[in-house]
Amino acid sequence: MVIKVYLATASGSTAIKKKQQDVVGFLEALKVDYTEFDIATNEENRMWMRENVPGEKKPTNGIPLPPQIFNDQNYCGDYDTFFNAKEDNEVFAFLGLAPPAGSKEAQLAEKALILQNGKDPEEHHKTSAEECNGDSAAPEDLHKTSGPGEAAEMKEPSEKEEEVEHKEEDSEEPLTEDEEHPVTEDEEQGEAATES
């Protein structure tokens, strides 16, 4: 994939020149391969850029200003969207490229993936280490299970386990006389008949 940067080498605007230098300088610092296309000296480049910037990204006059950034035929954005991606450490995502291993963007992408999937590799390592050391699980971890290569996940307690838990909960508080001998509907009707 080729990153294409459309810019104007002969621009009278210092703001446009500064934006172009910022984009090109940052791509060079990241060692991203890119190709510059000059719209000031080549009419085909200018027409291609204007035709391929999406309508919602064009200014009100309909003529997009450089720099405009593409990944092959896919539009990435203009200077403002590039700047926002730069500030958010998401330049490689903005460009449609995979971030290099160990980069800040790769670490952020990994964290986002963990949040999305709900699995943290560090939890897996902790659980595996505890299992290897023979450490017993904490009471709140009794229902956690893990297989080889999986992070610990919560499993639903079986009916039998729920019964045991309910019995333990019930046995903690002494029962009142009414709770020890609950009255059934038949007994209630019998008592009502004898009272009349």
Side-chain angles (χ1 to χ4, degrees):
M1 293 186 180
V2 177
I3 301 301
K4 299 177 181 179
V5 181
Y6 285 82
L7 33 89
T9 55
S11 174
S13 169
T14 55
I16 288 177
K17 286 180 183 177
K18 185 171 177 4
K19 290 176 181 181
Q20 292 174 162
Q21 289 172 348
D22 190 23
V23 169
V24 169
F26 199 75
L27 292 176
E28 287 175 356
L30 293 177
K31 298 179 181 168
V32 172
D33 291 330
Y34 69 94
T35 305
E36 292 181 6
F37 291 87
D38 187 6
I39 64 167
T41 60
N42 188 318
E43 187 64 27
E44 285 180 24
N45 290 342
R46 181 189 336 230
M47 294 309 296
W48 192 92
M49 181 192 81
R50 288 181 179 177
E51 291 171 5
N52 288 286
V53 171
E56 68 272 4
K57 300 293 184 176
K58 290 182 181 178
T60 53
N61 69 0
I63 301 171
L65 297 174
Q68 297 293 329
I69 305 158
F70 293 82
N71 183 333
D72 284 330
Q73 306 296 316
N74 300 319
Y75 181 71
C76 297
D78 60 3
Y79 175 77
D80 292 332
T81 52
F82 174 82
F83 181 81
N84 290 337
K86 180 177 151 183
E87 289 295 309
D88 295 336
N89 290 316
E90 297 176 347
V91 173
F92 288 97
F94 166 80
L95 296 171
L97 302 173
S103 69
K104 193 179 265 188
E105 189 170 344
Q107 292 169 355
L108 291 172
E110 184 178 332
K111 285 181 182 179
L113 185 62
I114 290 168
L115 290 173
Q116 183 181 14
N117 294 333
K119 293 185 180 180
D120 186 352
E122 290 182 22
E123 285 181 17
H124 169 68
H125 294 301
K126 181 180 174 187
T127 305
S128 299
E130 288 173 352
E131 289 172 357
C132 291
N133 293 333
D135 293 345
S136 60
E140 62 269 12
D141 294 334
L142 287 177
H143 298 295
K144 287 188 178 179
T145 61
S146 63
E150 310 178 339
E153 295 180 16
M154 293 297 290
K155 89 171 185 182
E156 292 295 318
S158 67
E159 288 180 28
K160 200 171 197 176
E161 288 172 331
E162 285 181 0
E163 285 178 28
V164 169
E165 287 176 13
H166 290 298
K167 285 181 183 177
E168 288 173 358
E169 289 172 8
D170 291 342
S171 65
E172 290 175 7
E173 298 176 23
L175 299 176
T176 63
E177 189 174 316
D178 292 337
E179 289 175 332
E180 285 181 17
H181 304 288
V183 179
T184 64
E185 286 182 38
D186 293 338
E187 291 174 335
E188 272 186 47
Q189 290 173 355
E191 287 178 10
T194 55
E195 289 177 6
S196 309

